[in-house]
Amino acid sequence: MKLCIPTVNFEAQKISKHFGSAPYFFIYDTETEVSEVIANSNKNHEHNMCNPVGALAGKNVDAVVCFGIGEGAIRNLERNKIKVYKTNKNLISDIIEDSKTNNFSTFEAGHTCSSHSHHHNAGCSH
């Protein structure tokens, strides 16, 4: 499985709290253990205008693993056969460990982000 994990820096150690506005994406192939980091070309967008599939074009991603994401981004990813999983982990290495046992959960209705101005400790139920 090829995972996409939003990250705050190019070194890809710490996950970004929000998928759409993450500066970078860490792409990891669980079968080959090959990884790469790409810039999020879609990080500056208006609310409800996130185009994650465009940002990930050509990377053949199977799933996104993130802390926070909006409903529109989830729908857009799922329409393109990309699964979306929730994590509460802060480090990429922990998510890679979880991938070995497929220890992921999905977002429940109402547990997604509703705006770019929310605070991740309140207002976003993840």
Side-chain angles (χ1 to χ4, degrees):
M1 176 181 349
K2 208 170 208 185
L3 301 176
C4 171
I5 306 164
T7 183
V8 296
N9 57 25
F10 188 77
E11 291 76 24
Q13 295 171 351
K14 191 172 180 184
I15 142 172
S16 176
K17 294 295 181 188
H18 187 75
F19 174 77
S21 57
Y24 299 96
F25 294 128
F26 178 79
I27 310 292
Y28 179 75
D29 189 319
T30 60
E31 294 172 20
T32 64
E33 298 184 353
V34 172
S35 65
E36 69 175 306
V37 178
I38 61 170
N40 179 3
S41 59
N42 189 242
K43 72 178 177 181
N44 297 317
H45 59 270
E46 295 295 319
H47 181 60
N48 288 329
M49 299 302 288
C50 182
N51 182 15
V53 174
L56 300 173
K59 297 300 177 185
N60 300 315
V61 170
D62 298 302
V64 166
V65 182
C66 59
F67 191 82
I69 189 170
E71 282 289 331
I74 289 175
R75 283 192 303 276
N76 192 355
L77 289 163
E78 289 178 343
R79 264 194 305 273
N80 286 277
K81 311 253 186 289
I82 299 173
K83 295 177 179 157
V84 181
Y85 297 117
K86 178 181 177 180
T87 187
N88 62 358
K89 306 291 173 75
N90 290 314
L91 298 176
I92 302 289
S93 57
D94 292 336
I95 295 171
I96 290 172
E97 275 304 307
D98 284 349
S99 75
K100 294 176 182 175
T101 58
N102 200 23
N103 189 26
F104 297 125
S105 61
T106 56
F107 283 89
E108 297 176 27
H111 284 222
T112 58
C113 302
S114 60
S115 74
H116 285 190
S117 60
H118 69 269
H119 298 282
H120 281 276
N121 293 329
C124 195
S125 308
H126 48 75

